[in-house]
Amino acid sequence: MLIYSYLMKNTNSIDHICKVIHKDVVNNVKQQMPHDDSFVYDLAEFFKAFADGTRLRILLALRISEMCVCDIAALLGMNHSAISHQLRILSHLRLVKQRKYGKVVYYTLNDVHVKALLDLGFEHVNE
Amino acid sequence: MLIYSYLMKNTNSIDHICKVIHKDVVNNVKQQMPHDDSFVYDLAEFFKAFADGTRLRILLALRISEMCVCDIAALLGMNHSAISHQLRILSHLRLVKQRKYGKVVYYTLNDVHVKALLDLGFEHVNE
DNA sequence: TGAATATATGAGCATATGTTCATATTGTCA
DNA sequence: TGACAATATGAACATATGCTCATATATTCA
């Protein structure tokens, strides 16, 4: 009796993954959804760029003007290092590009979609 | 000598916030950028919704069809609980809405911007 | 060449975040 | 009403993430 109860409990906690209620819906969606896991991963990585306050403010700033690391740090009242780390992330995501002039590295937006994306975000938040 | 060296070191590490190189640019950007901190915060929160693989797949699924918690869990091969937690987050961000029919709760997309945003992400990643 | 400056980067730390587990809640049906 | 089923939720845990510090690299200029 105790064993049975234990097994029941265990089974319940394992298949908390319940039975599919609408098999047709699940199959339909499964077909139409992106099948490539790495695609979904890359897509999430892309959106992550905008999902942090610091990176977002950097992008919002670069939307207005090309800026160097020093200026961005001053603008946001933050460490060089923190800005540089975030710019590296944005750079790897191909969202910003850089040009070097002497010691100074100037960053600009590198993607036509960035502005459009920020605009959509504006609309949503302003509702 | 040792004290001086220490002080120098300390000063350096404190004002790693370097002098502004382009004061005009910084001032200009500062004026044109959103001044409301909570706005930027909300904007980042909005983008966070898309910045996690699980939430992203949920949104991609709901883009195709209304679904209940069970079906989403089955589709993604995940726990009820995990899905439910994420749906709560999406719900608080007003990105999904729900209707209850008996025991079953059906979720749909609640924002016209979601599809547009996903489309932009598609374009970027596919480049 | 040596000092100073702008930027980059690795390590460490503190916090944030996603998942799981256990349990609660709500609704159906015998 | 009682058993079951679908969903919700709080706590705990493991991992991810952003910032700081120290240091490295690269460039200018005296």
Side-chain angles (χ1 to χ4, degrees):
Chain A
M1 200 56 162
L2 202 142
I3 292 171
Y4 178 72
S5 158
Y6 167 77
L7 283 173
M8 283 301 287
K9 197 165 182 172
N10 208 18
T11 311
N12 274 335
S13 72
I14 283 176
D15 82 338
H16 249 285
I17 297 146
C18 71
K19 28 235 138 217
V20 181
I21 299 182
H22 311 88
K23 216 162 192 169
D24 50 339
V25 172
V26 173
N27 286 332
N28 178 37
V29 172
K30 191 172 282 184
Q31 280 193 330
Q32 292 193 51
M33 267 188 69
H35 298 90
D36 188 357
D37 280 350
S38 71
F39 176 82
V40 177
Y41 178 84
D42 290 343
L43 194 54
E45 287 300 305
F46 171 63
F47 287 123
K48 267 181 203 169
F50 304 83
D52 167 72
T54 302
R55 281 194 300 273
L56 186 56
R57 285 188 298 162
I58 291 174
L59 292 171
L60 289 171
L62 295 182
R63 193 167 76 128
I64 297 166
S65 169
E66 177 186 66
M67 292 182 91
C68 71
V69 179
C70 261
D71 292 343
I72 300 174
L75 175 72
L76 305 186
M78 288 179 72
N79 221 327
H80 279 133
S81 186
I83 303 301
S84 194
H85 277 296
Q86 297 298 356
L87 283 169
R88 189 160 53 89
I89 293 174
L90 294 174
S91 186
H92 283 159
L93 287 166
R94 311 191 324 272
L95 296 185
V96 301
K97 61 174 175 248
Q98 55 225 264
R99 71 179 173 89
K100 196 166 189 175
Y101 189 80
K103 296 175 276 192
V104 182
V105 179
Y106 294 91
Y107 284 87
T108 50
L109 292 188
N110 187 31
D111 195 285
V112 288
H113 306 124
V114 174
K115 293 191 185 195
L117 214 94
L118 291 173
D119 289 341
L120 275 175
F122 271 60
E123 282 183 43
H124 176 83
V125 175
N126 279 330
E127 268 171 11
Chain B
M1 201 54 165
L2 202 142
I3 293 170
Y4 178 72
S5 156
Y6 168 77
L7 283 173
M8 283 299 287
K9 201 168 178 166
N10 208 17
T11 312
N12 275 334
S13 73
I14 284 175
D15 81 338
H16 250 285
I17 298 147
C18 71
K19 28 233 137 222
V20 181
I21 299 182
H22 311 88
K23 216 161 193 170
D24 51 337
V25 171
V26 173
N27 285 332
N28 178 36
V29 172
K30 191 172 282 183
Q31 279 192 333
Q32 292 194 50
M33 269 188 69
H35 297 89
D36 189 356
D37 280 350
S38 70
F39 175 82
V40 176
Y41 178 84
D42 290 344
L43 194 53
E45 287 301 305
F46 171 62
F47 286 122
K48 268 181 202 168
F50 304 83
D52 168 71
T54 302
R55 281 194 299 273
L56 186 56
R57 286 189 296 162
I58 292 174
L59 292 172
L60 289 170
L62 295 182
R63 193 167 75 129
I64 298 166
S65 170
E66 176 185 67
M67 292 184 91
C68 72
V69 179
C70 261
D71 291 343
I72 300 174
L75 175 71
L76 305 187
M78 289 179 70
N79 221 328
H80 278 134
S81 188
I83 303 299
S84 194
H85 277 296
Q86 296 298 357
L87 283 170
R88 188 160 53 89
I89 293 174
L90 293 175
S91 186
H92 283 159
L93 287 166
R94 313 192 322 273
L95 295 185
V96 301
K97 61 174 175 247
Q98 56 224 258
R99 72 179 174 87
K100 196 166 190 176
Y101 188 80
K103 295 176 274 191
V104 182
V105 179
Y106 294 92
Y107 284 86
T108 49
L109 292 189
N110 187 33
D111 194 285
V112 288
H113 306 124
V114 174
K115 294 193 184 194
L117 215 93
L118 291 174
D119 289 341
L120 275 176
F122 270 61
E123 283 182 42
H124 176 84
V125 175
N126 280 329
E127 270 171 8

